[in-house]
Amino acid sequence: MEKEFRVILDDYGTHGFAACQCPECKKVIVLKKEMLKGVHDGYLPEIIKCDCGYQGSRINSSALASNHFLWLAATFLMVVISIVMMFLDTKGYFVAVTLAISVVLTIITFVTWKIKPEIVEKAKSAIYLKEAALRDNEANLEKECWNSYLKEVEQFKSEKAGRVIQKKDGERVYIGRDEHNLYLMPIYKDEGYRTSDISQWLGVKKVEKVHDALWSQKVKTIPRRNIDYFMLTGGMRYETKISGGNSGIQGAAVGYALGGAIGAAVLANPTEVKSEEIAHDERRVYMQYTNNEKTYGMNFQPEEYATLRALIPEKEYGVRR
């Protein structure tokens, strides 16, 4: 008959690991807890392989770590039954039996409490080491993805005359071009977070996938032939805000009523009138392009007019092409 692995912990740690014991060498093996959900008739959906060479799929899925709590609960129940029967059974036979069972359960509980924690602690330690290795791998992946992203940025600047441009809404992106296309590459959180979650931002689990993910999911490509024009539009709007100022006649009347001639003299003079001119910059650089027979537009800060003129001078509004 096939030997069975024994589950020690069925859910432990932040990554959701389980631990079982090899029936051959008694070594602790760490596995994903999802594997235990697929147990059917005492068999796992896949084979577990131990370093000692033993492999199999038969498993006892009752977690060893929780067994002493079950024994303790059973012991407590038998003691309660014994106390109740002391009042119901005058001869005491049943009381003696239940007390004997309670003693046996107490011994079993003590054994599981004292002996099993050693293997449970080994299982916890194995899971901790597994999670530590995963954290190191995740940190290394983020660092490698970040370095690969920086390499892509430098290559973008070098090969496509890339530079930073600011949209009208304040978003900053890289913009560049080659002979056929205009490219807009997003800046990863303005490059303010070095190793946080760039792999998730790119949706990759391997550093080799950074290039493909960046260019297929993040970079916007606009064929230069589809760009209609760019132009500086809008203007400066000025608003005058006036504050202060009192009516001399009303001030004199109120001042005389409150303070006689002196009060009238003080309040008869109007307070200083202040005017403040507030400028609203409504200028924007508007770039229009078509895609699949639909017209789209992008707005940039007015200072970026020179940037677009340097990259796609032939698309400047009014320039003959």
Side-chain angles (χ1 to χ4, degrees):
M1 183 178 180
E2 182 183 349
K3 298 179 182 179
E4 64 179 14
F5 290 87
R6 180 61 192 269
V7 174
I8 304 170
L9 294 168
D10 54 6
D11 186 6
Y12 187 77
T14 57
H15 289 75
F17 282 116
C20 64
Q21 189 177 37
C22 174
E24 191 69 26
C25 67
K26 307 304 179 183
K27 182 180 178 180
V28 174
I29 302 172
V30 178
L31 60 155
K32 281 288 187 180
K33 69 175 183 180
E34 285 77 11
M35 287 184 62
L36 300 180
K37 296 179 181 179
V39 174
H40 181 68
D41 291 337
Y43 287 89
L44 287 164
E46 55 186 279
I47 294 176
I48 302 177
K49 296 180 181 180
C50 182
D51 294 339
C52 70
Y54 183 81
Q55 61 182 26
S57 60
R58 185 171 176 80
I59 191 167
N60 183 341
S61 57
S62 176
L64 196 62
S66 60
N67 281 358
H68 59 270
F69 292 109
L70 298 177
W71 289 116
L72 186 62
T75 302
F76 177 77
L77 179 62
M78 292 305 298
V79 171
V80 171
I81 293 175
S82 299
I83 295 173
V84 172
M85 293 307 299
M86 287 177 63
F87 296 97
L88 300 179
D89 187 3
T90 55
K91 295 183 179 181
Y93 295 126
F94 192 80
V95 175
V97 173
T98 54
L99 284 176
I101 295 175
S102 299
V103 171
V104 173
L105 291 176
T106 301
I107 294 173
I108 295 175
T109 302
F110 179 79
V111 171
T112 57
W113 186 273
K114 288 295 183 181
I115 297 178
K116 300 306 180 185
E118 182 179 353
I119 189 63
V120 171
E121 290 304 318
K122 286 183 179 180
K124 290 180 179 179
S125 178
I127 291 176
Y128 174 80
L129 293 175
K130 182 75 172 180
E131 289 193 326
L134 277 179
R135 286 192 295 269
D136 290 342
N137 290 338
E138 290 170 356
N140 289 335
L141 175 63
E142 297 299 337
K143 186 176 181 180
E144 291 175 356
C145 287
W146 171 253
N147 291 333
S148 181
Y149 166 75
L150 290 182
K151 184 178 178 180
E152 291 289 334
V153 169
E154 291 304 315
Q155 192 171 353
F156 183 83
K157 291 178 180 179
S158 173
E159 297 180 359
K160 297 183 173 17
R163 64 203 70 184
V164 175
I165 192 171
Q166 188 170 15
K167 295 182 180 180
K168 186 62 178 177
D169 61 6
E171 181 187 3
R172 298 165 68 248
V173 298
Y174 292 113
I175 188 170
R177 55 101 175 97
D178 57 20
E179 183 180 354
H180 302 289
N181 301 307
L182 185 73
Y183 304 97
L184 288 99
M185 176 190 291
I187 298 177
Y188 172 64
K189 294 186 178 179
D190 274 356
E191 299 178 358
Y193 300 84
R194 296 181 61 85
T195 57
S196 55
D197 58 355
I198 190 168
S199 64
Q200 296 181 23
W201 181 67
L202 292 169
V204 299
K205 294 184 178 180
K206 294 182 179 180
V207 67
E208 294 82 4
K209 301 292 184 180
V210 169
H211 175 81
D212 292 339
L214 185 63
W215 282 90
S216 64
Q217 301 175 25
K218 300 297 182 180
V219 176
K220 184 179 183 63
T221 302
I222 304 175
R224 293 176 69 165
R225 66 176 181 273
N226 290 355
I227 300 175
D228 300 321
Y229 62 86
F230 70 88
M231 64 182 296
L232 182 64
T233 183
M236 298 294 296
R237 180 172 62 85
Y238 297 93
E239 175 186 359
T240 302
K241 182 179 180 182
I242 300 176
S243 60
N246 287 323
S247 170
I249 297 175
Q250 291 179 347
V254 174
Y256 186 82
L258 296 177
I262 297 177
V266 172
L267 293 183
N269 297 317
T271 59
E272 181 182 359
V273 177
K274 296 181 180 180
S275 64
E276 180 183 2
E277 190 174 61
I278 302 174
H280 299 277
D281 189 355
E282 297 181 348
R283 297 175 302 160
R284 60 192 173 96
V285 177
Y286 177 74
M287 184 182 75
Q288 179 176 296
Y289 64 97
T290 57
N291 184 28
N292 294 328
E293 299 182 353
K294 292 183 179 180
T295 301
Y296 299 90
M298 298 184 71
N299 294 300
F300 301 94
Q301 294 288 354
E303 297 81 8
E304 304 297 355
Y305 190 81
T307 301
L308 292 181
R309 177 181 272 180
L311 292 173
I312 46 174
E314 75 281 4
K315 299 298 181 178
E316 184 178 5
Y317 186 79
V319 175
R320 290 187 177 182
R321 298 186 286 275

